[in-house]
Amino acid sequence: MLLYPGATAAEAPARQHTSRPIVTGTSVLGIKYKDGVMLAADTLASYGSLAMFKDVTRIARTGSYTLVGASGELSDYHALLDKLKGLAQANANCDDGFEHGPAEIYSYLRAVLYQRRNKFDPLWNSLVVGGFKDGAPFLGSVDLRGTAYEDDVIATGYGSHLALPIMRAKWTPDLDEGEARALLEDCLRVLFYRDCRALDTVVLSKATATGTLVSDPYKLETDWTSASFVAPKAGGDGDGGW
Amino acid sequence: MFRSQYDTDVTVWSPQGRLLQVEYAMEAVKQGSACLGLVGKDGVVLAALKRQPNELSGHQKKLLKIDDHLVIAVAGLNADARTLAKVMRTECLNHRYVYGAPLQGARLVQDIADKYQRCTQTYVRRPYGVGLLVACCDATGPHLYETCPSGNFSEFVAVAIGARAQSAKTYLEKHHKTFKDTPVEELCTHALQALACVEINRCAAISTPRPSFWLKLGHDLRDPRDRIQRAAPHSHPERPRIEGRLKFYFPTGIGRLRRWRQGTRRGGRVPSRRDCRWAVALD
């Protein structure tokens, strides 16, 4: 806290940096498939452990080629989307037919997040950037420290523990759209079963040669009849919790 | 000495609605040694005449590499050009850091043109006395732009600036329709022929009996390695030599040179090493 000599605590300025996230989203999943890239996330915004908003889309289109999904602090994500909107507007103003591709957006976000980390005021997000431009799919991830990498399958948050092993086991480069969607929905379902900050309402999005698309939120079908859900730790004592 | 009472400050209009300081700056560009550029099918070619300010000095720098995809040719005050080149290099580098991709040439040119323009509207400043030809190959293809001290800029398929550029322009106007289907190797021929037009009108000749041209991005003969190359041709496979077609490029120059050797000295002064060297950039 910045205190000038003689200042009382009441006069002290409010803290100007993010020391912890407040309203957060959980995992974002992304895979490359035969026609492009597919991203998926649920629509829950949690306030701590409280499921506060259940209809927040955490994947957005920016420009004509790119999708950006985010876990972590949602206000920081919205601030980033504003910056990206400014970028798209600057492109439109130039009117020279050029638009940033997903690789450039990814690099830009990396630069922004790394700069904020260096100010000790990070934007508290793990981002997934997916897109398709000039016949090539792109999938990359950036975290709150500016660490960035590209891969064929990416999951953030709890998904990197629960969904990534499934995705790596099932993924092949020639998945068609239906298979890719099925794989992502399976992973989202597992996340809903196991991640206490996840929801069964999700959005799916894709970037292909024909452009980008983000679905409306829809509900996943879930099945709670599995023995381990009906009688967790069957035969054991206790309340069934871990 | 004043040409007019309205030309002492860049922000003062003349009654005719002109900014005389800006026009003087444009004149500085016209007095710089000629450079030209043309856009082809798969690239852009820049070429420039290099002056030697002194018998014992090196030649001036006319082609400056800004980034891997972008080269400029300058006409006018070379010192002003260096300032602008520094800004352009920094911009390109920053863009590569932030976006991981080369900067679009059009956007860089627009930024530089804004920089020019600020000098025409701010007192105690003088306009830049240099015009640039900016050649780039970016995400939207090959482009060629001209900037000038007034802050105007335009895109061209072919353009020449500097002293006696009109004769090069005439050549380019005559041939420009074919450029868009022409590969860069052939475009170099056009560039050199257009430059030759400038020199023929000046009744000068080329400086060495067998000048050679290195066709490489952003390179010109200023490079000491290139001079070594000229001394030992073909020793460097990366820099192809096109001396075989030399006569085709400079019939007049060679003829004049021959006459000079024969002592006839018709049609112009004796060519000297000071006259010029050739510089070619290929993008």
Side-chain angles (χ1 to χ4, degrees):
Chain A
M1 196 179 286
L2 287 168
L3 282 177
Y4 50 89
T8 64
E11 293 176 68
R15 187 163 46 211
Q16 294 286 307
H17 61 88
T18 313
S19 55
R20 64 181 72 102
I22 310 295
V23 178
T24 59
T26 183
S27 325
V28 181
L29 314 177
I31 52 171
K32 285 183 188 169
Y33 68 105
K34 201 176 54 164
D35 307 322
V37 171
M38 201 176 277
L39 261 55
D42 66 37
T43 61
L44 180 65
S46 308
Y47 180 76
S49 61
L50 173 69
M52 196 157 185
F53 308 106
K54 293 183 169 185
D55 55 353
V56 181
T57 300
R58 292 189 290 119
I59 300 174
R61 305 162 63 218
T62 175
S64 309
Y65 310 107
T66 312
L67 298 164
V68 180
S71 348
E73 173 60 48
L74 282 165
S75 63
D76 286 351
Y77 172 55
H78 291 146
L80 276 172
L81 288 184
D82 277 354
K83 279 176 104 69
L84 291 176
K85 200 189 266 179
L87 207 62
Q89 186 61 51
N91 280 335
N93 293 349
C94 282
D95 196 25
D96 56 3
F98 174 77
E99 256 190 71
H100 292 105
E104 282 151 300
I105 303 269
Y106 159 80
S107 184
Y108 171 76
L109 290 171
R110 186 215 83 241
V112 170
L113 267 66
Y114 182 61
Q115 187 248 9
R116 289 294 295 264
R117 169 226 106 109
N118 285 342
K119 290 168 77 178
F120 285 85
D121 184 16
L123 293 168
W124 214 282
N125 294 116
S126 282
L127 303 170
V128 179
V129 181
F132 196 95
K133 193 187 180 192
D134 299 331
F138 178 91
L139 183 62
S141 171
V142 186
D143 77 4
L144 76 167
R145 295 175 193 86
T147 310
Y149 63 94
E150 293 170 41
D151 206 344
D152 296 325
V153 293
I154 280 176
T156 65
Y158 235 118
S160 62
H161 303 283
L162 294 175
L164 208 50
I166 305 172
M167 290 157 81
R168 284 185 178 152
K170 299 269 183 70
W171 185 83
T172 55
D174 55 348
L175 289 177
D176 67 26
E177 189 179 320
E179 290 168 333
R181 179 176 174 169
L183 174 54
L184 286 179
E185 285 183 350
D186 283 350
C187 292
L188 289 167
R189 198 172 290 116
V190 168
L191 283 167
F192 177 54
Y193 290 150
R194 298 291 180 193
D195 173 5
C196 294
R197 308 283 169 269
L199 198 66
D200 56 349
T201 308
V202 300
V203 291
L204 204 67
S205 64
K206 62 175 180 175
T208 59
T210 52
T212 56
L213 192 72
V214 179
S215 78
D216 288 333
Y218 64 96
K219 235 172 152 62
L220 288 175
E221 283 195 11
T222 48
D223 176 13
W224 296 91
T225 60
S226 162
S228 62
F229 292 137
V230 175
K233 293 215 165 177
D237 296 331
D239 61 0
W242 284 336
Chain B
M1 191 198 79
F2 297 103
R3 237 193 263 183
S4 148
Q5 57 181 311
Y6 299 104
D7 69 352
T8 52
D9 196 292
V10 71
T11 57
V12 176
W13 291 98
S14 84
Q16 288 77 37
R18 297 157 62 176
L19 293 171
L20 291 168
Q21 281 291 326
V22 175
E23 291 186 14
Y24 298 161
M26 306 275 277
E27 202 57 42
V29 177
K30 284 187 197 153
Q31 291 180 17
S33 70
C35 48
L36 57 87
L38 16 84
V39 183
K41 187 171 66 176
D42 51 353
V44 193
V45 173
L46 288 180
L49 281 174
K50 287 158 74 76
R51 280 183 192 150
Q52 195 178 21
N54 184 288
E55 178 80 33
L56 300 179
S57 76
H59 290 81
Q60 55 180 171
K61 289 186 178 183
K62 292 288 283 178
L63 304 177
L64 306 172
K65 184 179 170 183
I66 302 298
D67 199 352
D68 284 345
H69 70 303
L70 199 139
V71 183
I72 61 171
V74 305
L77 300 185
N78 248 5
D80 286 12
R82 284 207 314 277
T83 311
L84 289 174
K86 191 174 178 183
V87 171
M88 293 168 90
R89 284 171 180 149
T90 309
E91 286 295 312
C92 283
L93 213 55
N94 283 344
H95 192 278
R96 273 191 195 271
Y97 169 67
V98 173
Y99 296 95
L103 176 57
Q104 287 293 108
R107 306 202 175 176
L108 178 61
V109 168
Q110 179 133 20
D111 285 352
I112 290 299
D114 289 348
K115 202 170 161 55
Y116 275 114
Q117 195 277 339
R118 279 197 291 280
C119 296
T120 69
Q121 216 181 358
T122 316
Y123 80 114
V124 299
R125 281 195 172 176
R126 69 165 173 83
Y128 287 96
V130 69
L132 306 181
L133 298 184
V134 181
C136 66
C137 283
D138 57 29
T140 49
H143 297 282
L144 173 67
Y145 304 92
E146 184 209 341
T147 67
C148 63
S150 63
N152 282 322
F153 67 97
S154 311
E155 183 168 4
F156 287 87
V157 290
V159 65
I161 58 172
R164 295 175 303 284
Q166 186 52 51
S167 29
K169 268 190 209 158
T170 310
Y171 176 92
L172 295 173
E173 278 161 15
K174 207 164 145 190
H175 294 91
H176 77 272
K177 285 200 177 112
T178 61
F179 290 169
K180 75 173 188 315
D181 304 316
T182 310
V184 275
E185 288 79 11
E186 268 180 64
L187 223 51
C188 289
T189 313
H190 281 299
L192 293 168
Q193 279 178 326
L195 262 194
C197 293
V198 175
E199 283 305 292
I200 288 163
N201 283 1
R202 192 185 161 202
C203 296
I206 45 180
S207 61
T208 51
R210 297 181 69 78
S212 46
F213 312 103
W214 308 116
L215 303 182
K216 202 178 173 211
L217 172 99
H219 258 263
D220 61 22
L221 302 182
R222 74 202 160 164
D223 190 334
R225 281 171 302 176
D226 284 336
R227 290 196 201 118
I228 293 163
Q229 286 299 307
R230 279 188 301 161
H234 305 308
S235 62
H236 200 309
E238 279 177 25
R239 301 213 173 107
R241 209 178 146 107
I242 52 167
E243 60 180 347
R245 280 180 275 166
L246 188 63
K247 280 173 190 160
F248 177 58
Y249 295 147
F250 301 113
T252 320
I254 295 293
R256 185 163 290 126
L257 201 65
R258 198 184 303 120
R259 287 197 295 280
W260 171 58
R261 275 194 182 147
Q262 290 160 357
T264 54
R265 300 192 178 184
R266 242 179 328 116
R269 66 186 175 90
V270 174
S272 80
R273 294 188 63 82
R274 287 178 64 165
D275 280 322
C276 57
R277 295 264 169 90
W278 303 89
V280 177
L282 176 66
D283 197 354

